[in-house]
Amino acid sequence: MIKFDKFSFGFPEKNLYEDVNLEIETGDHLVLIGSNGSGKSSLINLILHEEKYTYEGLIRMNRDMRIGYVSQFVEHETSEGSVFDILAAPFKELLQKNDDLCVKMGNAEADMDAVYAEYQKVMDQIDAIDAYNYESNIGKELAAAGLSALRDRQISQLSGGEYKLLFIMRNMLLSPELLIMDEPDVFLDFENLIALINLINSYKGTLLTVTHNRLLLTQCFDKVWNIENKSIIEFPGTFPEYEKWMLENKIEIFERARDFDEFIKQQEEVAKKVRHIAEMTAEAHYGRQLKARASYIERLNKMRGDDPFLEEHKHEFHLAFGNPLTETRSESDHNKSDENAWFEDHADLADASDAEKQIEASPIEVRNYTLQYEDDDALLTDVSFTVAPGEKVVLVGTNGTGKSSMLRDISRMLEEKNPGQFGYFKQIVESDESLKLSGGERNLARIEELCTNPHTGLLLDEPTSHLDIYAQIELEKAIRDYPGTVLMVSHDLFAITGCADRIIMIEDNQLREVSGRAYRKSIYKKYFASDIFDAEKQRIDTEIRVTNLIHAGKYEEARKALGFPKADK
């Protein structure tokens, strides 16, 4: 379908791919993974707009291929109509076009050759998307996703997540030869994420998906492309199978490289002795022998090649805790004529002998809060809750329940009451091509700001979105270790179950509090046959442990950690 042949590509400031040979085959459910900034979105853009880029090698594909595309950011349509109307619209339009052409063919004055050619083209399109059966196909797609109840709902009543899922469904119904989805899970609540998993697994067409979502990675896809060290590793199998296979191979590669290094070192020691003899004598044959050994060692180094690539996930976050007033003074403070005036304004801090004793995590108190958008019914009415100092609380709820809006209002309230005390991480809600940064790179930059600038509390809105798996894991750890207070909005179940002391659920325009353990248990019972969170945690822990053992040269311990027997010598 699409073949990359000795393909290399990059930008002046960064090479992304070197000598890549890969193929997307018909029927693949392929996932493209890699660390933030490794070039996943660039590869998608090359497939979609190959003519706009200069690259080395070949991309072999039919330039007339019908490609569907779902971006990270989908703009919500405001047109009138129901969910069924929006899904049916392209099919009705094509069938109407066919009817109009049939009428034209009955007109004796029409250019029959041109009309028939257009008619044949439309008929091919109708066959390609099975347009005559669109009503039953829409019903089947809604049922597969568990969304039949949305069939008659008005588009204007859909949340952003529901609309994104609808947009994905419409692209699938149009049966492109290749459907590309770039982080389709971003901002989907858990119910819609489950629907997306069902849609992907029931989809019969060819699929290329970029995602960092650990649920999608473990539940979907039958082929993996992993961008590593300017190359792409291909594996025909599931993501968990790939991870285990890759680690097993790297143990073998590194061990062989170590043995080769030892042999080369031995030859270098021999060459050193020959050099010493050659320098001490005037016999020409020692000089010739030294030259021959140097040439031999050079060939050995070429045979060995570069060190096998073992990606080091260098994310390490330490969210800065402290009172910003003790760290820096504002410009107005510095401009005061009386240097003691600053201490008078901040008398509670001026006599601190030990800064740590003066710093306390800030509580969050919400009293009688109401959330209502213009001309709409109130989403929340007169709700109250408290987050104790140092507590980690997560707000959860389906798309459209007002979580982000409430967090924004809380941020404004706290800033008025305690200026500078709370850091606020806003979710990325739209693309910004001018920045030339991926969503993950933009989020990483904002997280680094929170690691640099101290606060006594944090408000986090979907902080793990767009981040690669290892950045997600490190951020979760940083949140757990942070001494300050955290109120977080998230749909990421791994972040929720990994960080929350307590969960506040928004249901039926009211708040309901549950423990992290109770929430996690309810998820298992309703959706999964086994503890996928523990399984994924174990997989990640094993990967990190094995990687560290490989770095340390402890190959037998690494094999044991993976569950493999001792290697035969």
Side-chain angles (χ1 to χ4, degrees), residues 362-416:
S362 300
I364 300 173
E365 296 183 3
V366 177
R367 292 284 177 265
N368 308 119
Y369 173 76
T370 295
L371 175 62
Q372 182 173 9
Y373 301 131
E374 187 176 354
D375 299 327
D376 286 333
D377 294 334
L379 288 176
L380 296 168
T381 303
D382 202 28
V383 299
S384 301
F385 65 91
T386 299
V387 183
E391 191 178 22
K392 312 299 185 289
V393 173
V394 182
L395 284 170
V396 302
T398 57
N399 291 127
T401 51
K403 302 180 300 298
S404 294
S405 296
M406 179 162 66
L407 197 70
R408 182 186 63 239
D409 290 344
I410 291 172
S411 174
R412 291 171 180 168
M413 175 193 73
L414 293 173
E415 184 62 23
E416 291 175 1

Side-chain angles (χ1 to χ4, degrees), residues 54-240:
T54 300
Y55 56 86
E56 296 180 13
L58 294 173
I59 302 178
R60 304 179 187 274
M61 59 184 290
N62 181 357
R63 297 300 182 266
D64 295 325
M65 180 186 299
R66 293 182 300 107
I67 300 178
Y69 176 58
V70 178
S71 71
Q72 297 179 23
F73 307 96
V74 175
E75 186 176 351
H76 198 314
E77 291 183 20
T78 57
S79 57
E80 295 296 323
S82 68
V83 165
F84 180 83
D85 292 334
I86 295 299
L87 293 176
F91 300 97
K92 289 182 176 180
E93 181 180 343
L94 190 60
L95 292 174
Q96 183 61 53
K97 189 174 183 179
N98 179 69
D99 291 343
D100 293 342
L101 287 169
C102 288
V103 172
K104 279 188 178 182
M105 284 191 287
N107 186 347
E109 298 179 1
D111 181 346
M112 296 305 296
D113 290 340
V115 172
Y116 185 77
E118 181 67 15
Y119 171 78
Q120 190 59 52
K121 182 179 178 181
V122 170
M123 285 298 298
D124 290 342
Q125 292 174 341
I126 288 173
D127 290 340
I129 65 175
D130 195 18
Y132 287 120
N133 297 309
Y134 75 87
E135 291 188 59
S136 62
N137 289 338
I138 289 173
K140 291 176 184 176
E141 198 78 354
L142 287 168
L147 298 175
S148 298
L150 290 183
R151 178 187 174 100
D152 297 321
R153 185 177 298 180
Q154 294 297 300
I155 293 297
S156 59
Q157 296 175 344
L158 296 180
S159 67
E162 287 171 334
Y163 182 79
K164 186 172 186 179
L165 197 61
L166 175 65
F167 186 82
I168 292 169
M169 195 179 301
R170 183 167 66 182
N171 273 273
M172 289 182 169
L173 282 164
L174 290 174
S175 303
E177 293 171 77
L178 172 65
L179 176 57
I180 298 174
M181 301 197 295
D182 191 359
E183 297 195 52
D185 51 276
V186 172
F187 309 132
L188 293 186
D189 62 37
F190 183 67
E191 302 285 346
N192 286 331
L193 184 60
I194 293 296
L196 176 60
I197 290 172
N198 293 335
L199 283 173
I200 290 174
N201 289 337
S202 63
Y203 185 61
K204 303 300 183 185
T206 307
L207 193 63
L208 168 60
T209 304
V210 173
T211 185
H212 301 298
N213 186 281
R214 283 170 273 180
L215 273 180
L216 257 65
L217 285 171
T218 57
Q219 303 296 306
C220 305
F221 312 114
D222 56 18
K223 190 174 185 178
V224 178
W225 281 5
N226 186 13
I227 303 173
E228 278 197 359
N229 197 29
K230 302 173 188 175
S231 185
I232 300 179
I233 300 168
E234 182 178 55
F235 180 77
T238 68
F239 175 73

Side-chain angles (χ1 to χ4, degrees), residues 315-385:
H315 305 295
E316 188 172 346
F317 305 126
H318 299 283
L319 298 167
F321 175 69
N323 192 323
L325 294 176
T326 66
E327 304 293 334
T328 58
R329 301 182 191 179
S330 68
E331 186 177 347
S332 61
D333 288 331
H334 282 294
N335 291 336
K336 289 182 179 180
S337 58
D338 184 356
E339 188 67 17
N340 292 325
W342 185 86
F343 293 99
E344 292 173 2
D345 290 345
H346 305 95
D348 58 325
L349 302 174
D351 61 351
S353 58
D354 183 353
E356 290 299 321
K357 291 181 180 179
Q358 300 299 317
I359 300 172
E360 294 183 356
S362 300
I364 300 173
E365 296 183 3
V366 177
R367 292 284 177 265
N368 308 119
Y369 173 76
T370 295
L371 175 62
Q372 182 173 9
Y373 301 131
E374 187 176 354
D375 299 327
D376 286 333
D377 294 334
L379 288 176
L380 296 168
T381 303
D382 202 28
V383 299
S384 301
F385 65 91

Side-chain angles (χ1 to χ4, degrees), residues 456-469:
T456 56
L458 298 174
L459 304 174
L460 308 175
D461 195 356
E462 298 281 4
T464 60
S465 64
H466 303 288
L467 299 184
D468 64 53
I469 291 175

